[in-house]
Amino acid sequence: MYDGRFLPTSAKEAHEAGIERFDIILFSGDAYVDHPSFGVAVIARILEAEGYTVAVVPQPNWRDDLRDFRKMGAPRLFFGVTAGNMDSMVNHYTAARRLRSDDAYTPGGRAGARPDYATTVYTRILKRLYPDVPVVIGGIEASLRRLAHYDYWHDRMMPSILVDSGADLLCYGLGDKAMPRIARFIADGFNKKRLHTLRQTAYITDREGLARLDPEETVTLHPYEECLKNKKLLGKNFVHIETQSNVMEPKRLVEETDGRFVVVNAPYPHLDTKEIDRTYDLPFTRMPHPRYRGKGDIPAWEMIKFSVNTHRGCFGGCSFCTISAHQGKFISSRSEESILREVRAITRMEGFRGYLSDIGGPSANMYGMKGRNERACRTCKRPSCLFPKVCPNLDNGHERLLELYRKVDAVEGIKKSFIGSGIRYDLFDDRFGDAYLREVIVNHTSGKLKVAPEHTEDEVLAMMRKPPFALFERLNERFRRICEQNGLRYLLIPYFISSHPACRMEDMKRLATRMRGLDFRLEQVQDFTPTPMTLSSTIFYTGIDPYTDKPVFTEHDPERKKQQKSLFFGSPGADRRGAGNDNRKKDYSRRQWNKR
């Protein structure tokens, strides 16, 4: 029986909904969960609100006779394709390039429900079956591969995903503004010249199309073929790409590939409060589609179903992170009213017991933050507002966030709200920093506070664009003091990365020694995984910091990478029998969570 609260996912549901032909059909590598944390659900609801009929085809079978790609027929306007909330290669493989045994975005956590390079595979199938129907690709996989990039899994540089997939158009970043305009332009008649004027899109053109572009508004990158011959040129390209991704008034980018030209138009300005509220106020059911009943839980949904996203974007600019490249550097914050409406909706959800699992975003405490003087922001080219030091123009006060927490906790039906997102402790301001930390520890922590110092050594931290380790040591002391004052036996959970560019074996030894000196018994570390369109990945591939042209040590040997990670737990064969005594001590920061 068709559940009209969800968008149709099958021909039977389309028939029961009375829809003979859809305007837009979206294909996704994820299961269909109608929740604002799932990208395909957001785009589907936005397009539906614009008056279009939309179908969602989740995790189509690409191995059989392709019936999943045929069952809804051809749309009136276009196909939309996304690999899902994660790059499919990150989803499939560990940092050691080993195949994962599970998939958090699939019922039952089952692996194998999507192909490698899902965006490319799905698009090629659709272009083969329906050559005359436009295909628009988007999501994080397409967004971060919109230009030539290093692919860790094949250990080589690859061209834009537009070249490999054959898609007609790429929508990068978050598509709240771009996708309705794309639909409107295609509905007015599929005119490529007109479509190619849209912001926040990328496409392939010829020399005639290139000649129509304003050279004053265009940054020309080194051609793909030249970068193949000279890795250093890929680094030069990255500097341009990152700069244009972070400025308030960017230019378009052009990159030649095999005699054709990939054009990346400038993005739309980040969403203002009214615009982001409009997205989150759409009628999401917040539930998985009924088609998954009896097929097992969807782990990614189980983790976030009782959580609230307060904002998007991140101005941290960490070298290894893709958030700013995809969501942007500038923060789009929801209004208190919109957040509280969602909180009240959660209290009415089946199974809710009064506990919000998270109120946060990419970094929990960036809500409402921006530059004091916008004119200064318009001329700024810094990739990070926090590194090498906090920008003096940044308004990093936490009072607005503290007031939001109080209002959320006052909602009827809320027993406690937790902060599950990571916190940037280098953001703490002099006036409200201590008050914010105390509020989070005492009232919004379930026993473990997660932070990400990432490393202890200055050279590695500088390459990561992370603050000095002394800030973490100060946080640790404040955390212990607050816990002791309030009788709390809570844990401070630091996250670290091994094998990052500039990290040698000696650096990991010093990390392990320093953490043991602080009485932490560490149980996990993430081995660095190079992902497309990050500074760290560019350095990993080229061996050079593109901003300084200086060589940077990078560990490529799999065995030595493994050894770096093992040093996190102490020297091989070390006697660790004493670690169990930690539970009898009163240092609340030293006991760490168990291995997963």
Side-chain angles (χ1 to χ4, degrees), residues 354-389:
Y355 299 95
L356 290 176
S357 60
D358 186 24
I359 307 174
S363 290
N365 55 325
M366 287 187 182
Y367 176 75
M369 294 187 181
K370 59 182 179 180
R372 293 183 177 90
N373 179 0
E374 187 177 301
R375 184 178 301 176
C377 291
R378 289 190 177 280
T379 60
C380 179
K381 294 185 178 181
R382 284 178 57 169
S384 171
C385 301
L386 301 179
F387 182 86
K389 60 181 180 180

Side-chain angles (χ1 to χ4, degrees), residues 294-311:
K295 296 183 179 180
D297 294 334
I298 300 172
W301 175 73
E302 292 290 334
M303 185 170 62
I304 55 86
K305 63 181 177 181
F306 299 139
S307 68
V308 178
N309 191 9
T310 58
H311 62 281

